[in-house]
Amino acid sequence: MSESDNKYLYKSPYEGSFRRAPKATPIEIKPRRETPTIGRDGNINTTANNTPKKQRVDISLRGLLEIIKLGGRALLSVSPFTWIKVGLWLFALWCFSLVEFGSIFFIASIFVLIFINLGERKKGELSAYSVFNPNFAELPGTTNARQMETELRGGM
């Protein structure tokens, strides 16, 4: 036995004899087919000679990247003041849910949102609902019961 073979010997913990360690199998390192690059348009460019599994992963990652892009645009399209208001509302909802009034706070805040967004009419502008107009005035071109009755009786 030569000196170079002795480096592969180890003492077995289960037996008193020395055993030969298995030699490591050489691994062939293959170069990558292609390194993905990001183009000017922000898309990832890869070659078409990938395996089907790699193509599915690539498609999934592209979809995830698009979702992240859209989410970022949505986050940045809202003003910081609005995010502060949403954060304060979420904090208030959390506080009310601690005292078991979270659902009541949620329903009440929905009503507040509805009334805040009702808006106001300009002077001289009629409402679409005649009961809110002075003298119950109707919008031009609306159909009412009186008009339907006269048309059914043959009058114009």
Side-chain angles (χ1 to χ4, degrees):
M1 198 152 50
S2 69
E3 190 66 33
S4 64
D5 290 340
N6 286 339
K7 65 181 180 180
Y8 295 112
L9 292 178
Y10 72 97
K11 186 165 181 152
S12 173
Y14 303 108
E15 300 172 7
S17 63
F18 286 91
R19 303 185 128 221
R20 187 174 292 280
K23 289 187 176 183
T25 56
I27 299 173
E28 181 182 345
I29 299 174
K30 297 178 182 176
R32 294 182 77 182
R33 291 184 182 172
E34 191 243 340
T35 305
T37 58
I38 298 177
R40 289 185 179 178
D41 56 354
N43 292 332
I44 299 172
N45 303 322
T46 57
T47 58
N49 61 354
N50 285 337
T51 62
K53 184 177 180 181
K54 285 184 180 179
Q55 288 176 350
R56 283 193 305 269
V57 169
D58 185 45
I59 290 170
S60 300
L61 290 177
R62 285 177 193 252
L64 182 63
L65 184 63
E66 288 298 318
I67 290 171
I68 291 171
K69 279 185 194 176
L70 289 174
R73 287 184 192 146
L75 288 174
L76 294 175
S77 66
V78 179
S79 71
F81 184 66
T82 304
W83 284 117
I84 291 171
K85 288 192 289 189
V86 168
L88 288 174
W89 182 84
L90 287 172
F91 178 72
L93 179 65
W94 177 71
C95 289
F96 275 97
S97 62
L98 286 178
V99 291
E100 299 182 4
F101 280 100
S103 57
I104 294 171
F105 175 76
F106 183 76
I107 292 170
S109 59
I110 287 176
F111 281 119
V112 167
L113 256 171
I114 289 171
F115 284 114
I116 286 174
N117 289 313
L118 283 178
E120 296 195 15
R121 286 184 277 147
K122 298 174 187 165
K123 190 170 184 169
E125 187 179 27
L126 295 176
S127 171
Y129 302 101
S130 60
V131 292
F132 298 117
N133 294 331
N135 299 327
F136 301 105
E138 297 175 353
L139 291 176
T142 55
T143 306
N144 59 17
R146 191 176 305 124
Q147 180 185 359
M148 292 288 286
E149 186 179 345
T150 52
E151 287 179 6
L152 287 173
R153 292 184 181 209
M156 287 299 235

